Amino acid sequence: MDRYVQLVLVLVGVPAALVGYIGLVEWVVQRLPDKRQPQVRPWLWIGPAVALLTFFLVYPVLNTVYLSLLNAKSTAFVGLVNYGYALTNGDMLLAMRNNVLWLVFFTGVTVALGLLIAVLTDRVPYEAVAKALIFLPMAISSVAAGVIWKFMYDYRPASQAQTGTLNAIVSSFGITPQPWLIQQPWNNGFLIFVGVWMMAGFAMVILSAGLKGISDEVLEAARVDGANEWAVFWQIKIPLLGSTIAVVTTTIVIAALKTFDIVYVMTSGNFGTDVVARRMIEELFSVRDYGRASAIAVILLLAIIPIMIINIQRFREQEAIR
Amino acid sequence: MRKKLWNLTSAVAVLVLLGAACAPAAPVTVVVTAPPVVQTAVVTSVVQATAAPTSAPAATPATTFAGLKDPKDVATAAAGGQNIKGTTLDILGVWAGAEYDSFQAVVQPFIDATGVAVSFEATRDINTVLTTRVDGGNPPDIAAIPSPSLAASWASEGKVVDLTNVVDPNTFKQDYAQTWIDQGTTNGKLVQVYAWSAVKGLIWYDPKVYKGPTPPKTWDELTAWAKTQADAGTTPWCMGVESGAASGWPATDWIEDFVVRQSGPDVYNKWWQGQQTFSSPEIKQAWQAFGAIATDPKMVSGGPNSVLTLNFGNGGDGLFKTPPACFLHHQASFITSFFESNTPGVKAGTDYAFFGFPDINPQFTNATEAVGDSFSLFKDSPQGRAFIKYITSPEAQAIWVARGGKLGVNKRVPLAAYPDALSKTAGQILANVKIVVVDASDNMPDAMNKAFWKGTLDYIQNPGNLDSILSNLDSVQKDAYKK
């Protein structure tokens, strides 16, 4: 019974609170002199959102930075010792190397594939179907994707029947089945492919929208002037898509730095596939060293900040064009 | 028109993105590796008071034995007259597949008698998942933790309930051997109660095809016979160490068996207490003895790649193939339920039997590693206390014992409950053994335990790196025991 009461409270109460707050704010703003009103009103309107952001985002970040300067149980100040560990420990360096691999290959292949599919599907009648199929993997969680592909990559020795799809296909061509997820360093490639499979749809959708924004006249003019499709692609479409590609790339770079679920589910970071985010979880919940885990989190944050700045700048440019 | 369709598609895409983005990305996964070949992703079951069990047990052994009461009466007594009908109990454990069915059979009389709604969740990565939940303030009511070191650290933080006054004071001290009570006690508080145990380091074989020594008097005798088989063209051993996030633990069992037999229980105990380094010659020779089998494609079925990818539950299936893929499999006594569920029709005694891991050093003979399934109470409640009382009773423990795969810790679990001569023998080994040691890796701090597992995987893949693997483990050891 209390569940239904809660549901009603949420469905009715939340909008009511919101409307009530705005009403209250407007009443206060009306009391102010006319000149002040447009200055004060925006701040009051976004007040609750800013407050929530501060409490759930800004404060935890500051707290994490603070914890990273303390020891394992957060009882004593140790300065930059945890950062020293995070930047010199063998396992951490391996994880960072893998994150760089993800950065380069995950981003590169996803954007390239997204662009290719966007361009190719632009002119076919079954465009919507093709796009829907490519976009479908985005609807599932990365954990589900990890489990699915773990089955796909499954390995049995050559003498036994193959249960993994990839090995079944490969062995039907006479090649010995391979333990894809174990062989270093190629296993990183197979994990990255799972990420690409998931995110290519996202890249494709955004790039396709950008592509359709290029006016047909420019392309017609180029074709009339004698340019073949290759030239049209490289010299007109790509330059005009510049800022869209930048936005997609920066978003996927952030995903590459945050990657965790796929690695955790498929290999648990074993066999040289570990990534920084998974190491952070291990430091936090297994080693239970809050100082080190916080240091790793801060390092990840610092790595992502420049990308975020670029992303926001590009986003603003896009908005300005509109 | 195209633009409108495009706008619509974009809107839908954004909504899907938002939906996907809002899905939790946190690692609260429940990934279970089930013993049958197909791995299932999640096992969560809410066993309601009125619903029948979700899967019928293969055979329903008698659940009331001579000298014992009906488990339902025990459950009612455990509830102590309080009305706990309709309350919930959240249990976290590692059991999946056939083991899950057995645990459900144990819990069913409790549910029927008390009306408590029990929900059981399983994960192989229980150390991480449980730590996440406890630190996040959302612990399960009861957890079956394999790692005594974790339980001890939570006990010192006050996160588990002291069970000294929860267990039945009249019967607990008589029914439980002091070792099992001590194992579960930290700083004078009883934080873990053991229900079942298993003997580790048994070597399984198929009596119909095995022609080697039964039992071999020494490890050398067994190895010599194994080599003749390898030369004749069949790999003598089957092995599988994959286990999700805990992959590598069967390999650590191998190494532990070597350490205690080569170097004795004192070295063994110093080792898991962090006072014996991994690169010391005693420990290194244990690794090398293990590597002689696991990294040699002529000695282990499928070669090292198969060892690394084969789930531990399927590790022994090669024994029963035609022609057999191997003749020997090293695993604890609980593997019998996996044998029977993976290869239907195999029976104890006729199709599979075991002998104990043979001696190596004549100074240290007759050693055995025993492990237990323990339960800890995280949230104090009448139904939680009732469950603890129930699970420590011989009646509850006998249910799983009768289904095979576990040995009862309570002394009053009758010998008649054991389903076959084999498990009776296992029980007797445990009772009569001279040197009993605990599972070293489970008693190490969690970080050390995980590094140990990972180290074995690295070793199997790259045996040439043994020295660097061991020195890496030493640096983890220096770090892990400080906390």
Side-chain angles (χ1 to χ4, degrees):
Chain A
M1 227 16 232
D2 347 72
R3 295 243 175 109
Y4 293 113
V5 172
Q6 276 177 346
L7 184 64
V8 167
L9 271 175
V10 168
L11 284 179
V12 170
V14 170
L18 225 46
V19 169
Y21 175 78
I22 299 292
L24 181 68
V25 157
E26 278 304 301
W27 182 83
V28 168
V29 166
Q30 297 299 341
R31 310 271 134 182
L32 298 173
D34 278 350
K35 212 175 56 146
R36 292 256 167 260
Q37 284 190 10
Q39 288 171 347
V40 169
R41 177 181 282 122
W43 292 106
L44 287 175
W45 276 63
I46 65 172
V50 169
L52 282 172
L53 261 178
T54 310
F55 186 66
F56 286 112
L57 222 52
V58 175
Y59 166 66
V61 168
L62 296 175
N63 193 34
T64 305
V65 173
Y66 173 62
L67 284 179
S68 67
L69 301 172
L70 304 179
N71 67 355
K73 292 278 173 253
S74 307
T75 50
F77 183 80
V78 290
L80 297 176
V81 161
N82 293 320
Y83 290 94
Y85 168 85
L87 293 170
T88 54
N89 177 262
D91 292 332
M92 278 300 298
L93 290 174
L94 178 72
M96 287 189 199
R97 180 208 77 174
N98 287 332
N99 269 107
V100 170
L101 285 177
W102 275 80
L103 248 171
V104 170
F105 292 105
F106 176 46
T107 316
V109 175
T110 308
V111 174
L113 205 57
L115 189 58
L116 184 68
I117 298 173
V119 167
L120 288 178
T121 54
D122 198 25
R123 307 216 247 125
V124 286
Y126 53 88
E127 176 186 353
V129 175
K131 284 211 176 117
L133 282 176
I134 305 287
F135 192 77
L136 218 51
M138 283 232 61
I140 64 175
S141 69
S142 1
V143 172
V147 174
I148 290 173
W149 282 93
K150 201 162 175 208
F151 282 127
M152 299 277 281
Y153 288 141
D154 205 17
Y155 165 79
R156 291 272 177 276
S159 52
Q160 296 172 25
Q162 294 301 313
T163 49
T165 313
L166 195 55
N167 273 326
I169 294 176
V170 151
S171 62
S172 70
F173 285 117
I175 311 173
T176 34
Q178 302 292 323
W180 309 106
L181 290 177
I182 293 188
Q183 283 166 332
Q184 310 184 30
W186 309 109
N187 49 7
N188 282 300
F190 291 105
L191 292 178
I192 291 174
F193 178 73
V194 178
V196 169
W197 177 78
M198 281 204 71
M199 291 294 279
F202 168 76
M204 171 203 72
V205 156
I206 310 248
L207 289 168
S208 190
L211 205 57
K212 297 203 193 292
I214 299 176
S215 79
D216 287 330
E217 283 123 24
V218 174
L219 301 172
E220 290 261 337
R223 289 193 190 111
V224 160
D225 280 348
N228 63 8
E229 284 313 310
W230 200 240
V232 167
F233 179 69
W234 280 106
Q235 289 170 15
I236 302 192
K237 288 186 180 171
I238 299 242
L240 284 177
L241 276 180
S243 50
T244 317
I245 293 181
V247 167
V248 172
T249 306
T250 49
T251 310
I252 296 182
V253 161
I254 294 172
L257 289 171
K258 283 195 323 181
T259 192
F260 167 81
D261 300 18
I262 293 174
V263 173
Y264 179 74
V265 168
M266 295 181 78
T267 58
S268 303
N270 292 324
F271 309 117
T273 56
D274 217 351
V275 285
V276 175
R278 203 209 72 87
R279 282 231 58 87
M280 177 179 75
I281 295 298
E282 180 153 325
E283 289 288 340
L284 188 58
F285 292 117
S286 180
V287 181
R288 308 184 76 205
D289 187 327
Y290 296 116
R292 279 189 199 159
S294 305
I296 298 175
V298 171
I299 289 175
L300 262 180
L301 180 69
L302 291 175
I304 287 185
I305 283 180
I307 320 284
M308 285 259 44
I309 293 178
I310 299 177
N311 203 359
I312 293 174
Q313 272 179 345
R314 291 291 184 169
F315 217 68
R316 280 206 189 132
E317 280 174 26
Q318 285 251 296
E319 287 291 308
I321 292 175
R322 252 178 257 259
Chain B
M1 187 52 206
R2 239 169 81 133
K3 204 155 178 225
K4 274 210 186 114
L5 186 61
W6 187 235
N7 285 342
L8 183 61
T9 322
S10 315
V12 171
V14 170
L15 279 172
V16 170
L17 261 176
L18 279 173
C22 295
V28 187
T29 52
V30 184
V31 180
V32 170
T33 325
V37 174
V38 176
Q39 295 176 327
T40 52
V42 174
V43 174
T44 317
S45 155
V46 178
V47 187
Q48 295 295 335
T50 49
T54 50
S55 56
T60 320
T63 48
T64 313
F65 299 95
L68 296 184
K69 309 189 205 94
D70 186 316
K72 290 216 266 278
D73 294 337
V74 176
T76 318
Q82 291 175 304
N83 183 16
I84 49 179
K85 192 172 156 72
T87 54
T88 55
L89 198 63
D90 195 12
I91 307 183
L92 184 66
V94 298
W95 302 301
E99 290 193 312
Y100 166 72
D101 291 338
S102 294
F103 184 66
Q104 203 171 336
V106 169
V107 174
Q108 196 59 41
F110 180 80
I111 296 169
D112 293 338
T114 61
V116 175
V118 175
S119 81
F120 177 69
E121 220 179 286
T123 170
R124 220 63 231 184
D125 196 10
I126 189 170
N127 291 350
T128 308
V129 172
L130 188 52
T131 313
T132 315
R133 288 184 63 170
V134 172
D135 285 352
N138 177 30
D141 290 294
I142 292 188
I145 328 168
S147 168
S149 62
L150 261 183
S153 71
W154 278 318
S156 57
E157 289 169 27
K159 299 250 165 84
V160 282
V161 175
D162 184 355
L163 299 170
T164 329
N165 298 322
V166 174
V167 295
D168 191 330
N170 302 324
T171 56
F172 190 66
K173 280 233 149 70
Q174 286 104 300
D175 289 349
Y176 272 68
Q178 194 59 36
T179 10
W180 289 115
I181 303 182
D182 290 339
Q183 262 277 285
T185 308
T186 313
N187 295 339
K189 295 202 186 77
L190 181 69
V191 289
Q192 289 172 286
V193 287
Y194 284 84
W196 298 284
S197 65
V199 183
K200 285 205 170 180
L202 302 178
I203 306 211
W204 300 87
Y205 63 94
D206 182 341
K208 302 195 307 291
V209 301
Y210 177 67
K211 302 277 178 289
T214 359
K217 291 186 204 50
T218 61
W219 176 249
D220 287 336
E221 191 188 331
L222 187 62
T223 312
W225 178 82
K227 280 221 168 62
T228 61
Q229 298 308 303
D231 292 336
T234 318
T235 50
W237 290 96
C238 271
M239 197 188 296
V241 306
E242 196 271 333
S243 183
S247 294
W249 68 260
T252 66
D253 284 352
W254 268 99
I255 296 174
E256 287 156 13
D257 276 329
F258 279 119
V259 169
V260 75
R261 284 169 184 78
Q262 288 170 337
S263 315
D266 289 331
V267 167
Y268 184 91
N269 288 325
K270 287 218 314 268
W271 176 46
W272 67 258
Q273 285 162 357
Q275 289 148 11
Q276 175 99 16
T277 59
F278 277 82
S279 43
S280 59
E282 294 91 345
I283 308 297
K284 182 169 171 177
Q285 65 176 345
W287 283 72
Q288 286 165 326
F290 166 65
I293 298 174
T295 62
D296 188 345
K298 294 216 302 280
M299 292 296 278
V300 69
S301 167
N305 280 338
S306 172
V307 172
L308 289 170
T309 49
L310 190 59
N311 183 263
F312 77 91
N314 297 111
D317 293 347
L319 289 171
F320 311 113
K321 288 203 167 57
T322 350
C326 60
F327 301 109
L328 301 162
H329 180 59
H330 168 278
Q331 190 48 276
S333 50
F334 60 69
I335 196 69
T336 51
S337 54
F338 292 87
F339 284 165
E340 298 198 353
S341 98
N342 295 343
T343 315
V346 296
K347 297 239 173 341
T350 38
D351 302 298
Y352 63 85
F354 68 80
F355 49 78
F357 200 107
D359 298 328
I360 300 179
N361 187 331
Q363 270 193 296
F364 312 111
T365 57
N366 242 316
T368 292
E369 189 178 313
V371 288
D373 292 317
S374 71
F375 291 89
S376 296
L377 185 63
F378 284 84
K379 293 208 287 227
D380 201 351
S381 64
Q383 63 269 29
R385 290 178 170 232
F387 187 81
I388 295 288
K389 281 212 194 69
Y390 174 70
I391 209 76
T392 50
S393 70
E395 287 83 4
Q397 295 178 10
I399 298 176
W400 195 330
V401 166
R403 294 175 64 100
K406 296 274 185 219
L407 310 171
V409 169
N410 190 311
K411 289 193 251 183
R412 284 198 294 134
V413 174
L415 264 185
Y418 289 89
D420 51 68
L422 220 52
S423 33
K424 286 198 183 63
T425 320
Q428 280 165 341
I429 286 187
L430 201 55
N432 298 321
V433 74
K434 277 182 14 207
I435 305 174
V436 185
V437 287
V438 296
D439 186 326
S441 54
D442 282 343
N443 278 284
M444 296 176 183
D446 198 37
M448 184 77 255
N449 191 5
K450 288 211 160 92
F452 188 9
W453 291 338
K454 199 156 177 243
T456 61
L457 297 176
D458 287 338
Y459 178 56
I460 296 172
Q461 204 175 25
N462 295 308
N465 290 352
L466 181 59
D467 287 323
S468 66
I469 293 173
L470 291 177
S471 68
N472 187 35
L473 285 172
D474 281 342
S475 44
V476 175
Q477 190 186 52
K478 278 203 209 69
D479 210 30
Y481 286 86
K482 280 193 300 199
K483 300 186 173 57

